[in-house]
Amino acid sequence: MPTTRSGHVALAGAPNAGKSTLLNALTGTHLAIVSPKAQTTRLPVVGIRTEPDTQYVFHDLPGLLDPRYPMQQRMLEVAQERLRQVRVILHLHPAPEAPAPDFWEAAGMPALPGVPVLTVLTKADLVRGDPPAGGLLVAAEQGRGLDELLARVRAELPEAEFGYDPDDVGVQPLRFFATEYIREAAFLLLEDELPYALAAEVEEFREAARPVYIRVTLLVERESQKGIVIGRGGQVLKAIGQHARQRLEALLGQPVYLECWVKVLKNWRRDASALDRLGFPRAAGPGRRAHDR
Ligand SMILES: Nc1nc2c(ncn2[C@@H]2O[C@H](COP(=O)(O)OP(=O)(O)O)[C@@H](O)[C@H]2O)c(=O)[nH]1
Ligand SMILES: [Mg+2]
């Protein structure tokens, strides 16, 4: 038997560095939201790539930033916690803005000795002139540099059996992707700050039904936002639902019936119990607080 390698790999870096695009390119599946707007990934998205001799378990993390309100605080804590659990960290930084800053400072945490941090310079297609040094160059949208990156990561992974079925690409429940794709549509179709104020919650999910039946509530922070999300004659909400449904159907390989409603959950981004309910974990005890800066 040839030896196999496998392990967990973080995709980390500042908002908008291209983490989610890289996750999708490495897994060949649109798992994570991609948007020109920053801070779209709120909770880690896990994607698996299995080759005959290697299984990579990638964790696309929320962007590392100084938190300004409770939801961002929890996003940072989740990212920091996940960084403590992986074997390899990929520090993504846009190549046109090279060099990358110090990773641990950007992550707001003390360095974890023994965990390799590979700097990955993203969006290499945007570089004019000489390619910058100081990291592996990739252009995920063009699929460039991925083989070299994978070879570097593989060399850091321990010899181990595969932890997941080789056919698995995403491991999170379909409910998670339903809410992510709704949010992706919101980033696509709603202006300015509104997508940031939006969350989605699956109320009902019948996977055995044909078509698969999913009912989702879109939550906004204020009454005035509700009308905008619904749109005149319900047109905006309909477009959001359509986008998300198409993504879900592609992921599932099944027709989906997606029903969407809009409700107000007042100021949910600053409300601890709302954040609990929406699946943002609380910090797991002492020593795990965000590093004071
Ligand atoms: N030109 C170019 N743009 C990219 C590339 N990768 C990502 N982007 C763009 O950068 C923006 C942020 O990407 P995203 O993956 O959402 O970044 P994240 O916030 O780090 O997850 C999006 O508009 C992407 O289309 C790339 O390889 N080349
Ligand atoms: Mg992202």
Side-chain angles (χ1 to χ4, degrees):
M1 279 291 282
T3 47
T4 57
R5 290 174 186 264
S6 106
H8 294 265
V9 181
L11 305 182
N16 224 27
K19 301 175 294 294
S20 298
T21 304
L22 184 60
L23 178 85
N24 295 345
L26 290 169
T27 58
T29 308
H30 192 94
L31 292 173
I33 299 183
V34 170
S35 165
K37 294 181 183 162
Q39 289 175 56
T40 42
T41 305
R42 289 177 180 162
L43 291 168
V45 183
V46 181
I48 299 172
R49 177 188 178 97
T50 305
E51 296 171 355
D53 58 0
T54 315
Q55 186 165 69
Y56 309 83
V57 185
F58 294 107
H59 298 252
D60 171 22
L61 302 185
L64 303 168
L65 52 89
D66 280 322
R68 287 185 293 120
Y69 49 87
M71 179 183 76
Q72 291 187 338
Q73 176 67 30
R74 291 203 193 185
M75 283 163 52
L76 179 63
E77 286 167 1
V78 169
Q80 291 173 331
E81 174 131 23
R82 206 57 74 93
L83 288 170
R84 293 188 188 93
Q85 296 165 347
V86 297
R87 295 298 294 242
V88 183
I89 294 169
L90 301 183
H91 180 197
L92 274 63
H93 185 79
E97 293 155 40
D102 178 74
F103 177 72
W104 300 108
E105 196 169 317
M109 63 194 285
L112 297 169
V115 182
V117 178
L118 307 180
T119 304
V120 178
L121 298 174
T122 57
K123 312 188 192 185
D125 55 297
L126 299 180
V127 173
R128 301 279 163 263
D130 291 336
L136 286 155
L137 282 166
V138 303
E141 283 184 352
Q142 284 77 23
R144 268 170 45 204
L146 303 186
D147 291 340
E148 295 85 343
L149 172 63
L150 287 165
R152 285 292 304 277
V153 173
R154 181 176 200 275
E156 302 288 353
L157 292 180
E159 286 183 9
E161 302 205 345
F162 293 172
Y164 295 89
D165 188 315
D167 291 332
D168 286 349
V169 177
V171 297
Q172 286 152 300
L174 222 50
R175 306 173 159 263
F176 174 75
F177 292 104
T179 59
E180 288 296 279
Y181 294 154
I182 293 265
R183 291 202 310 108
E184 180 174 57
F187 274 97
L188 204 65
L189 298 164
L190 302 172
E191 308 266 294
D192 307 323
E193 276 298 304
L194 192 43
Y196 295 100
L198 189 135
E201 205 174 25
V202 173
E203 305 272 5
E204 196 179 340
F205 182 27
R206 283 187 251 135
E207 203 170 355
R210 290 295 172 269
V212 172
Y213 176 83
I214 308 175
R215 184 159 50 90
V216 179
T217 302
L218 282 62
L219 299 164
V220 290
E221 292 196 307
R222 295 194 303 274
E223 200 61 44
S224 62
Q225 295 167 334
K226 200 172 145 177
I228 305 174
V229 172
I230 294 170
R232 188 173 297 164
Q235 284 307 308
V236 176
L237 186 59
K238 193 173 162 197
I240 290 174
Q242 234 161 36
H243 173 96
R245 176 176 57 77
Q246 282 164 2
R247 286 264 195 252
L248 279 167
E249 287 179 341
L251 189 69
L252 262 177
Q254 286 277 356
V256 169
Y257 185 86
L258 179 63
E259 200 176 314
C260 298
W261 297 85
V262 186
K263 276 187 200 161
V264 177
L265 183 59
K266 215 159 171 268
N267 291 329
W268 64 265
R269 282 182 291 175
R270 296 171 189 277
D271 177 343
S273 65
L275 291 170
D276 289 343
R277 162 177 154 189
L278 292 168
F280 292 91
R282 286 173 190 253
R288 289 174 183 258
R289 301 291 306 169
H291 187 62
D292 280 333
R293 283 198 280 160

